[in-house]
Amino acid sequence: MHGWEYWFKIQLVPASGRQITVNPRGCRMKRRACVVCETNEFAQQYCHLQDQDYLRCDSCGLIYVDRLLKPEELYKAYSGNSFKSLRRKLTAPFRKFSWSKSFDKSMRRARGIFEFGQKQVTAGGEKRRYMDIGCNKGFLLATAHKHGWDVYGIELVRELIRPFINSYPQYSKQVFSERFEDAKENVEKASFDLITAIDVVEHFEDVSGDLQGIYELIKPGGVFLIQTPDTACERAEREKCGWGALKPLEHLHLFNCENFTSLAKRAGFSKIECFAPFEEADGNFVAVLRK
Ligand SMILES: [Zn+2]
């Protein structure tokens, strides 16, 4: 073996046998740890997409981005292209909630999700309290309001939720346009009967911390309901790097029922059940987490 070959080999395969990523400048970079197993020992490169590496943990199956970008870079991906975003900004102050495109269809979908969640709740109390994280245009909030609940929402893109607030001004102080970790400071702990995050937990940067935060907000007997892409779905297995749920600027952690259950238990949830998704899309699962 030539000297340089030997040097190169020891750089790439350390004594532990753990592989190390080498960046374009040749510096060694440690792979990010799996948030479920809390180690990078089992992390393998899964797919390189849009200048980002997705890793897969060989121990629990979590698929996750190797590098978490700064929030400013991540949130650019949410407001859509600049023309659409500008048009939305200009019209949002005047728009009413019911003017939304496919309003009836969206409300039907929201009713199905909300009524499923409502059935899972065993906590008592008169006026029930609901929060939707990533509430988008507010279809779930409007549905919960119709069912007599007090509603709270979190939506990073303010213009999206503005028409809902125009139509339901009583909730203007209960809809927050900030990250969950900041928004949670505005509400009372152990006060929510139901919290939903539909197609949202995959966007969380600190998914473990946010799950603990959500657990703290829920009442005993209350429920956290999620839908998220399922890495165990047939499309993920078949399409690998072409799987539609892989969007490295938006979907930072992709779970299956088992690894999500482990993480949720660590956050404090006592009983976790997985269900078939509300919609298949790119392959999803639903989970009900009880406090
Ligand atoms: Zn893992």
PDB file of all heavy atoms in Angstrom, residues 34-39 42 57-62 64, ligand 1:
ATOM      1  N   CYS A  34     -28.929  10.365  15.276  1.00  0.00           N
ATOM      2  CA  CYS A  34     -30.352  10.042  15.157  1.00  0.00           C
ATOM      3  C   CYS A  34     -31.040  10.535  16.430  1.00  0.00           C
ATOM      4  O   CYS A  34     -30.557  10.276  17.533  1.00  0.00           O
ATOM      5  CB  CYS A  34     -30.500   8.524  15.018  1.00  0.00           C
ATOM      6  SG  CYS A  34     -32.176   7.935  15.305  1.00  0.00           S
ATOM      7  N   VAL A  35     -32.167  11.241  16.276  1.00  0.00           N
ATOM      8  CA  VAL A  35     -32.824  11.808  17.465  1.00  0.00           C
ATOM      9  C   VAL A  35     -33.523  10.737  18.298  1.00  0.00           C
ATOM     10  O   VAL A  35     -33.808  10.950  19.474  1.00  0.00           O
ATOM     11  CB  VAL A  35     -33.849  12.921  17.106  1.00  0.00           C
ATOM     12  CG1 VAL A  35     -33.145  14.148  16.571  1.00  0.00           C
ATOM     13  CG2 VAL A  35     -34.901  12.425  16.132  1.00  0.00           C
ATOM     14  N   VAL A  36     -33.780   9.586  17.705  1.00  0.00           N
ATOM     15  CA  VAL A  36     -34.442   8.510  18.455  1.00  0.00           C
ATOM     16  C   VAL A  36     -33.385   7.738  19.248  1.00  0.00           C
ATOM     17  O   VAL A  36     -33.515   7.539  20.453  1.00  0.00           O
ATOM     18  CB  VAL A  36     -35.232   7.570  17.514  1.00  0.00           C
ATOM     19  CG1 VAL A  36     -35.909   6.452  18.308  1.00  0.00           C
ATOM     20  CG2 VAL A  36     -36.258   8.356  16.710  1.00  0.00           C
ATOM     21  N   CYS A  37     -32.314   7.319  18.579  1.00  0.00           N
ATOM     22  CA  CYS A  37     -31.273   6.500  19.233  1.00  0.00           C
ATOM     23  C   CYS A  37     -30.223   7.344  19.944  1.00  0.00           C
ATOM     24  O   CYS A  37     -29.413   6.827  20.703  1.00  0.00           O
ATOM     25  CB  CYS A  37     -30.591   5.611  18.204  1.00  0.00           C
ATOM     26  SG  CYS A  37     -31.758   4.574  17.310  1.00  0.00           S
ATOM     27  N   GLU A  38     -30.215   8.652  19.681  1.00  0.00           N
ATOM     28  CA  GLU A  38     -29.276   9.599  20.281  1.00  0.00           C
ATOM     29  C   GLU A  38     -27.811   9.223  20.036  1.00  0.00           C
ATOM     30  O   GLU A  38     -26.958   9.409  20.903  1.00  0.00           O
ATOM     31  CB  GLU A  38     -29.570   9.762  21.790  1.00  0.00           C
ATOM     32  CG  GLU A  38     -30.946  10.365  22.035  1.00  0.00           C
ATOM     33  CD  GLU A  38     -31.306  10.563  23.489  1.00  0.00           C
ATOM     34  OE1 GLU A  38     -31.117   9.605  24.261  1.00  0.00           O
ATOM     35  OE2 GLU A  38     -31.760  11.653  23.846  1.00  0.00           O
ATOM     36  N   THR A  39     -27.540   8.642  18.875  1.00  0.00           N
ATOM     37  CA  THR A  39     -26.157   8.344  18.476  1.00  0.00           C
ATOM     38  C   THR A  39     -26.092   8.388  16.949  1.00  0.00           C
ATOM     39  O   THR A  39     -27.105   8.189  16.283  1.00  0.00           O
ATOM     40  CB  THR A  39     -25.709   6.957  18.982  1.00  0.00           C
ATOM     41  OG1 THR A  39     -24.440   6.642  18.396  1.00  0.00           O
ATOM     42  CG2 THR A  39     -26.677   5.850  18.575  1.00  0.00           C
ATOM     43  N   PHE A  42     -25.212   4.387  13.927  1.00  0.00           N
ATOM     44  CA  PHE A  42     -25.888   3.566  12.912  1.00  0.00           C
ATOM     45  C   PHE A  42     -26.306   4.382  11.689  1.00  0.00           C
ATOM     46  O   PHE A  42     -27.077   3.913  10.863  1.00  0.00           O
ATOM     47  CB  PHE A  42     -27.116   2.877  13.527  1.00  0.00           C
ATOM     48  CG  PHE A  42     -26.795   2.187  14.819  1.00  0.00           C
ATOM     49  CD1 PHE A  42     -27.182   2.743  16.038  1.00  0.00           C
ATOM     50  CD2 PHE A  42     -26.083   0.995  14.821  1.00  0.00           C
ATOM     51  CE1 PHE A  42     -26.867   2.123  17.234  1.00  0.00           C
ATOM     52  CE2 PHE A  42     -25.768   0.367  16.019  1.00  0.00           C
ATOM     53  CZ  PHE A  42     -26.157   0.926  17.225  1.00  0.00           C
ATOM     54  N   CYS A  57     -30.956   5.840   9.880  1.00  0.00           N
ATOM     55  CA  CYS A  57     -30.416   5.144  11.047  1.00  0.00           C
ATOM     56  C   CYS A  57     -30.712   3.657  10.883  1.00  0.00           C
ATOM     57  O   CYS A  57     -31.871   3.263  10.816  1.00  0.00           O
ATOM     58  CB  CYS A  57     -31.049   5.706  12.322  1.00  0.00           C
ATOM     59  SG  CYS A  57     -30.584   4.777  13.778  1.00  0.00           S
ATOM     60  N   ASP A  58     -29.659   2.862  10.798  1.00  0.00           N
ATOM     61  CA  ASP A  58     -29.828   1.421  10.586  1.00  0.00           C
ATOM     62  C   ASP A  58     -30.411   0.718  11.803  1.00  0.00           C
ATOM     63  O   ASP A  58     -30.849  -0.424  11.709  1.00  0.00           O
ATOM     64  CB  ASP A  58     -28.471   0.775  10.255  1.00  0.00           C
ATOM     65  CG  ASP A  58     -28.202   0.831   8.768  1.00  0.00           C
ATOM     66  OD1 ASP A  58     -29.124   1.236   8.018  1.00  0.00           O
ATOM     67  OD2 ASP A  58     -27.075   0.495   8.353  1.00  0.00           O
ATOM     68  N   SER A  59     -30.402   1.410  12.942  1.00  0.00           N
ATOM     69  CA  SER A  59     -30.959   0.783  14.140  1.00  0.00           C
ATOM     70  C   SER A  59     -32.477   0.965  14.204  1.00  0.00           C
ATOM     71  O   SER A  59     -33.206   0.010  14.438  1.00  0.00           O
ATOM     72  CB  SER A  59     -30.287   1.364  15.379  1.00  0.00           C
ATOM     73  OG  SER A  59     -30.880   0.844  16.530  1.00  0.00           O
ATOM     74  N   CYS A  60     -32.970   2.204  14.007  1.00  0.00           N
ATOM     75  CA  CYS A  60     -34.426   2.428  14.183  1.00  0.00           C
ATOM     76  C   CYS A  60     -35.134   2.767  12.877  1.00  0.00           C
ATOM     77  O   CYS A  60     -36.359   2.815  12.845  1.00  0.00           O
ATOM     78  CB  CYS A  60     -34.660   3.537  15.208  1.00  0.00           C
ATOM     79  SG  CYS A  60     -34.280   5.177  14.590  1.00  0.00           S
ATOM     80  N   GLY A  61     -34.390   3.058  11.805  1.00  0.00           N
ATOM     81  CA  GLY A  61     -35.025   3.332  10.511  1.00  0.00           C
ATOM     82  C   GLY A  61     -35.377   4.788  10.268  1.00  0.00           C
ATOM     83  O   GLY A  61     -35.924   5.132   9.215  1.00  0.00           O
ATOM     84  N   LEU A  62     -35.074   5.682  11.228  1.00  0.00           N
ATOM     85  CA  LEU A  62     -35.355   7.106  11.014  1.00  0.00           C
ATOM     86  C   LEU A  62     -34.573   7.619   9.801  1.00  0.00           C
ATOM     87  O   LEU A  62     -33.387   7.313   9.649  1.00  0.00           O
ATOM     88  CB  LEU A  62     -34.949   7.919  12.256  1.00  0.00           C
ATOM     89  CG  LEU A  62     -35.296   9.405  12.185  1.00  0.00           C
ATOM     90  CD1 LEU A  62     -36.765   9.640  12.530  1.00  0.00           C
ATOM     91  CD2 LEU A  62     -34.414  10.232  13.128  1.00  0.00           C
ATOM     92  N   TYR A  64     -33.377  11.171   8.123  1.00  0.00           N
ATOM     93  CA  TYR A  64     -33.289  12.561   8.592  1.00  0.00           C
ATOM     94  C   TYR A  64     -32.172  13.299   7.883  1.00  0.00           C
ATOM     95  O   TYR A  64     -31.225  12.693   7.389  1.00  0.00           O
ATOM     96  CB  TYR A  64     -33.092  12.586  10.117  1.00  0.00           C
ATOM     97  CG  TYR A  64     -31.856  11.883  10.632  1.00  0.00           C
ATOM     98  CD1 TYR A  64     -30.729  12.612  11.027  1.00  0.00           C
ATOM     99  CD2 TYR A  64     -31.801  10.500  10.727  1.00  0.00           C
ATOM    100  CE1 TYR A  64     -29.591  11.977  11.520  1.00  0.00           C
ATOM    101  CE2 TYR A  64     -30.667   9.850  11.209  1.00  0.00           C
ATOM    102  CZ  TYR A  64     -29.576  10.593  11.601  1.00  0.00           C
ATOM    103  OH  TYR A  64     -28.454   9.956  12.076  1.00  0.00           O
TER     104      TYR A  64
HETATM  105 ZN    ZN B   1     -32.088   5.611  15.283  1.00  0.00          ZN
END
